[in-house]
């Protein structure tokens, strides 16, 4: 930083000149500055040549080559002089202001330096004073910290004692209420104590927690035992439980005189037991099946319902555990039917007597479902213990699965058991059991397929004598197979997880593929008789399975599986983004692979049939192909046009084959068949008969008669305008039968046409749309009835 004396060495620019020398020097300096300012832009651009070119351009612009323009020089000099003076004033102003600003900035900096030095001088004694004060106050701070710690410790002890006092106070209140037989008040106090226990769970005072829990447990047991005893006595007066259906009906019908009092006691005790629910959940560890069953989390059954379930649980364990004759592992239907009967017997009582009590206290619990949940737990425990014993006995295991599925269906459909609750399907979904289920399902499905294909009626439709029902002409084996797949779907539909359902879906797809392979093998054995009954039955079967799978693909259940499969594929990066997009947009379905394979097999079989019929027709057309089209009499020479005798074998063969396949194939397949056949026949007749011969007037007329009056009508039963399927033949007949004048005119038009001026309009005018211009020229050249022009 510069000192103040050094700043004075910078000369200050004078405000105005005081002598001639000074003025001269100033002017010279101003001229230099002006030149520097004016030429700064040009110097930035480059060189002296640029300056000269600028000056010469300026003079050329102002003066030019006209000598008269020299009169402007005086005025131009005055303007330049004024500009020079203005520039000098600006330079003087700037040169006078800058030093002042610098002077001011330096002055401010000097003042700031002085203030900073003052602060630094004050900081040293202040720092020493603070350190001295801290050293003096340290003993006081240590003493004060110890006192605060003591106060906090005393506060914690006081709070601890308050909690103990509060617990003892609540305990004394419960004791006093029980001594006066005020059970409802005692139960309410126990609820408060249980809530305090829950609040204390985050505390680290283990002894206090133990004391609280022991106190709650003590009074809970006393109250629970007393209320349970009274509640069971009241239930006994109502003849609970209702073992038979008639017993449950008589409860509401036969009402003794004391019934109102009994029901009042029932309500009172039920409500008091409900109050013990919180403490019961704290003290009672709920019984849980192993984690491998993946049961959904659910609260324990409410205490009053637990007590109501006790006699039924005893009966269940008595009959279906141990060495009782009713505990037969091969008869799961016994205990499953028993539980369903108990649920049915008690439904009315629970809905009419217990549910109103729960509604009255504002509980969201459904009495009937809570009761069912408790009984279903017995089933789950029983299945978990029995399944390992019969896992490898196929018949017993399959029977168990069948009975469980029937039980589940009735439980959900009749008794409204929610699918979100723990159910038997969770037990069957356990990995070992589920894999065994898949294996058994596959084994029995394959056995069923073997038996249905080896049956004598495998290829006969069940509804062959009922025309309205037998539109698809489905053979028995295909219908039984699709029924089998439908049954499998119903069996796994209620599985709790999408991953398990997808595994069953893969089993179904494997079975479809296996059945397709079996059909292919039988088809190859019958390929020599591709028009035979069995071959057509196989084709009908393939078509039916493909149609049903396509219909299933739009079913909500399989659409949900498709969504689940898409999520699995996305997680595992199994499919490309395009395939995932197709699945997400529903462009494809879970059965697409199977449908594509079946459609390919269907097309292959249809092609074989078409080729077979076409060969027969082609063999029958040999005589017709050799017809002497050049020498046939004209239409005017014949009284009545009749079918060519050589065409009879062709048409008879074609008619017989069409009738045969119409009877054996379903409507949709036959439509595809005859359309494929017509396409081949159209090309064959056009290429092998028409283009291979020349035609006089009679020959062309006979060909048109054979086609339009005999061949085309064979297909009129299947469509309204069969000639539209024989486009080549129809248009060739039109060209061959044009009268001579029209034919000559058309020929001239075709010869004079070019790529830029096609003869499309002329062709369309005579009814030709399919054939190309070159084909029409060839056909015209096949005509022999041209007039003799002397050429």
């Amino acid at each position: 930083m510069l000192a103040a004396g050094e700043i004075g060495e910078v000369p200050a620019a004078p405000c105005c000149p005081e002598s001639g020398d000074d003025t001269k020097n100033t002017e010279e300096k101003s001229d230099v500055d002006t030149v520097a300012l004016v030429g700064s832009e040009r110097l930035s651009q480059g060189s002296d040549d640029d300056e000269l070119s600028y000056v010469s351009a300026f003079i050329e612009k102002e003066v030019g080559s006209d000598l008269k323009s020299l009169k402007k020089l005086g005025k131009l000099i005055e303007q330049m002089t004024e500009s020079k003076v203005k520039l000098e004033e600006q330079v003087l102003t700037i040169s006078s202001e800058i030093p002042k600003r610098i002077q001011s900035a330096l002055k401010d900096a000097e003042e700031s330096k002085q203030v900073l030095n003052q602060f630094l001088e004050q900081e040293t004694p202040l720092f020493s004073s603070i350190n001295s004060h801290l050293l003096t106050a340290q003993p006081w701070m240590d003493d004060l910290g110890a006192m605060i710690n003591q106060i906090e410790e005393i506060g914690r002890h006081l709070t601890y004692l308050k909690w103990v006092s509060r617990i003892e106070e609540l305990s004394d209140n419960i004791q006093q209420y029980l001594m006066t037989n005020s059970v409802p008040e005692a139960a309410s106090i126990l609820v408060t104590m249980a809530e305090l226990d829950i609040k204390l769970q985050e505390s680290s005072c283990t002894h206090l927690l133990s004391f609280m829990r022991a106190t709650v447990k003590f009074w809970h047991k006393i109250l629970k035992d007393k209320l349970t005893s009274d509640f069971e006595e009241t239930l006994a007066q109502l003849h609970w439980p209702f073992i038979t259906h008639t017993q449950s009906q008589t409860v509401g019908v036969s009402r003794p005189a004391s019934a109102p009092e009994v029901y009042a006691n029932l309500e009172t005790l039920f409500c008091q037991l409900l109050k013990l629910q919180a403490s019961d959940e704290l003290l009672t560890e709920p019984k849980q099946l192993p984690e491998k069953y993946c049961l959904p989390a659910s609260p324990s059954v409410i205490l009053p319902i637990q007590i109501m379930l006790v006699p039924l649980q005893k009966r269940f364990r008595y009959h279906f555990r141990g060495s009782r004759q009713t505990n037969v592992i091969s008869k799961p239907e016994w205990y499953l039917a028993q539980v369903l009967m108990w649920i049915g017997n008690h439904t009315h009582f629970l809905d009419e007597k217990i549910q109103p009590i729960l509604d009255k206290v504002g509980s969201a619990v459904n009495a009937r479902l809570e009761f069912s949940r408790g009984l279903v737990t017995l089933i789950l425990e029983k299945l978990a213990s029995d399944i390992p014993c019969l896992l490898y006995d196929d018949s017993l295991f399959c029977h168990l699965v069948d009975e469980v599925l029937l039980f589940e269906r009735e439980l959900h459909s009749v008794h409204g058991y929610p699918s979100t609750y723990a159910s038997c399907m969770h037990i069957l979904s356990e990995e070992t059991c589920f894999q065994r289920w898949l294996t058994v399902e596959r084994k029995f499905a394959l056995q069923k397929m073997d038996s249905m294909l080896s049956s004598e009626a495998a290829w006969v439709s069940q509804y062959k004598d009922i025309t309205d029902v037998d539109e698809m002409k489905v053979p028995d084996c295909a219908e039984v197979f699709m029924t089998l797949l439908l049954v499998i779907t119903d069996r796994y539909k209620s599985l709790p997880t999408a991953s398990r359902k997808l595994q069953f879906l893969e089993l179904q797809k494997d079975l479809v593929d296996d059945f397709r392979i079996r059909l292919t093998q039988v088809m190859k054995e019958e390929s020599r008789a591709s028009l035979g009954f069995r071959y057509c039955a196989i084709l009908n079967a393939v078509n039916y399975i493909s149609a049903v799978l396509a219909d299933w693909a739009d079913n909500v259940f399989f659409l949900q599986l498709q969504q689940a499969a898409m999520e699995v594929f996305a997680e595992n990066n199994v499919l490309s983004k395009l395939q995932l997009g197709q699945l997400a947009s529903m462009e494809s379905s879970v059965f697409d692979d199977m449908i594509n394979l079946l459609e390919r097999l269907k097309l292959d079989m249809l092609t074989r049939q078409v080729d077979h019929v076409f060969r027969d027709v082609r063999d029958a057309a040999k005589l017709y192909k050799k017809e002497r089209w050049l020498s046939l009499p004209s239409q005017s020479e014949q009284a009545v046009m009749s079918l060519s005798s050589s065409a009879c074998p062709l048409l008879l063969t074609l008619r017989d084959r069409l009738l045969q396949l119409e009877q054996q194939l379903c409507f949709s397949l036959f439509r595809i068949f005859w359309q494929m056949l017509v396409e081949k026949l159209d090309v064959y007749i056009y290429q092998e008969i028409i283009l291979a011969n020349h035609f006089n007037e009679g020959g062309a007329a006979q060909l048109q008669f054979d086609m339009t009056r005999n061949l085309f009508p064979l297909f009129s039963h299947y469509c309204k305008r069969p000639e539209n399927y024989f486009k080549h033949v129809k248009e060739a007949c039109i060209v061959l039968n044009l009268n001579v004048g029209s034919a000559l005119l058309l020929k001239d038009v075709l010869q004079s046409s070019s790529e830029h001026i096609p003869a499309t309009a002329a062709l369309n005018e005579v009814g030709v749309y399919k054939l190309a211009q070159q084909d029409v020229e060839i056909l015209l050249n096949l005509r022999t009835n041209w007039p003799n022009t002397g050429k």
Side-chain angles (χ1 to χ4, degrees), residues 746-764:
L746 180 60
K747 196 171 187 181
D748 290 341
V749 171
L750 294 177
Q751 289 175 353
S752 60
S753 65
S754 63
E755 294 182 4
H756 304 290
I757 310 174
T760 306
L763 293 175
N764 292 348

Side-chain angles (χ1 to χ4, degrees), residues 359-479:
D359 295 339
K360 192 173 182 179
V361 299
S363 174
V365 174
N366 184 301
R368 178 166 43 83
L369 294 181
E370 199 76 351
F371 183 79
S372 301
R373 190 158 66 93
L375 290 177
V376 168
T377 303
L378 296 173
I379 298 290
L380 302 186
E381 293 172 356
K382 175 68 174 170
L383 287 174
S385 63
D386 281 1
I387 285 177
C389 302
L390 49 79
L391 202 58
Y392 298 101
D393 188 320
D394 289 350
S395 59
L396 289 181
F397 181 77
C398 191
H399 176 64
L400 172 70
V401 172
D402 290 341
E403 293 298 329
V404 166
L405 292 174
L406 290 172
F407 170 79
E408 282 285 314
R409 187 174 303 168
E410 184 172 349
L411 184 66
H412 290 284
S413 61
V414 177
H415 301 291
Y417 191 78
S419 58
T420 53
Y421 284 10
S423 69
C424 302
M425 301 308 289
H426 289 89
I427 305 298
L428 294 182
S429 296
E430 187 270 325
E431 183 63 27
T432 305
C433 178
F434 184 77
Q435 293 303 326
R436 186 61 186 162
W437 183 11
L438 277 177
T439 303
V440 171
E441 204 77 43
R442 184 188 302 273
K443 175 184 174 182
F444 282 103
L446 293 175
Q447 288 178 358
K448 184 69 174 175
M449 287 162 58
D450 290 337
S451 64
M452 71 175 75
L453 287 173
S454 59
S455 168
E456 293 182 359
W459 306 108
V460 180
S461 172
Q462 300 180 48
Y463 315 105
K464 62 180 179 179
D465 299 325
I466 310 173
T467 308
D468 295 338
V469 179
D470 197 32
E471 289 182 358
M472 296 287 286
K473 294 183 171 61
V474 186
D476 186 60
C477 63
E479 186 147 3

Side-chain angles (χ1 to χ4, degrees), residues 458-607:
W459 306 108
V460 180
S461 172
Q462 300 180 48
Y463 315 105
K464 62 180 179 179
D465 299 325
I466 310 173
T467 308
D468 295 338
V469 179
D470 197 32
E471 289 182 358
M472 296 287 286
K473 294 183 171 61
V474 186
D476 186 60
C477 63
E479 186 147 3
V480 172
F481 176 70
M482 294 313 292
T483 304
L484 174 66
L485 289 185
L486 188 61
V487 169
I488 292 175
T489 302
D490 289 337
R491 288 162 72 83
Y492 77 82
K493 214 169 190 176
S494 55
L495 282 170
T497 61
S499 60
R500 294 303 192 200
K501 294 177 185 176
L502 287 173
Q503 287 178 271
F504 256 103
L505 178 63
E506 288 301 316
L507 168 63
Q508 286 180 302
K509 291 164 72 173
D510 290 344
L511 292 175
V512 172
D513 197 46
D514 189 277
F515 194 70
R516 178 189 63 83
I517 293 171
R518 292 171 187 243
L519 290 178
T520 305
Q521 291 171 346
V522 180
M523 180 270 291
K524 289 180 178 178
E525 295 173 2
E526 300 292 328
S527 58
R528 291 185 179 179
S530 58
L531 304 184
F533 169 76
R534 181 173 289 192
Y535 191 93
C536 292
I538 297 169
L539 184 51
N540 286 328
V542 172
N543 180 66
Y544 174 70
I545 295 170
S546 177
V548 172
L549 291 180
D551 185 55
W552 285 1
D554 296 327
N555 184 281
V556 174
F557 174 71
F558 289 108
L559 289 175
Q560 291 171 344
L561 284 188
Q562 180 175 338
Q563 179 66 27
M566 184 185 68
E567 293 172 1
V568 172
F569 292 150
E571 289 176 4
N572 300 331
N573 293 322
V574 176
L575 298 179
S576 65
K577 290 184 178 179
L578 175 62
Q579 291 171 316
L580 284 175
Q582 289 174 338
L583 277 174
S585 62
M586 304 302 173
E587 290 180 13
S588 59
S589 70
V590 290
F591 295 112
D592 268 7
D593 294 341
M594 296 297 101
I595 293 173
N596 291 337
L597 290 172
L598 289 166
E599 287 296 316
R600 191 182 305 169
L601 176 59
K602 181 174 79 174
L603 182 60
D604 178 56
M605 295 181 70
L606 278 170
T607 304

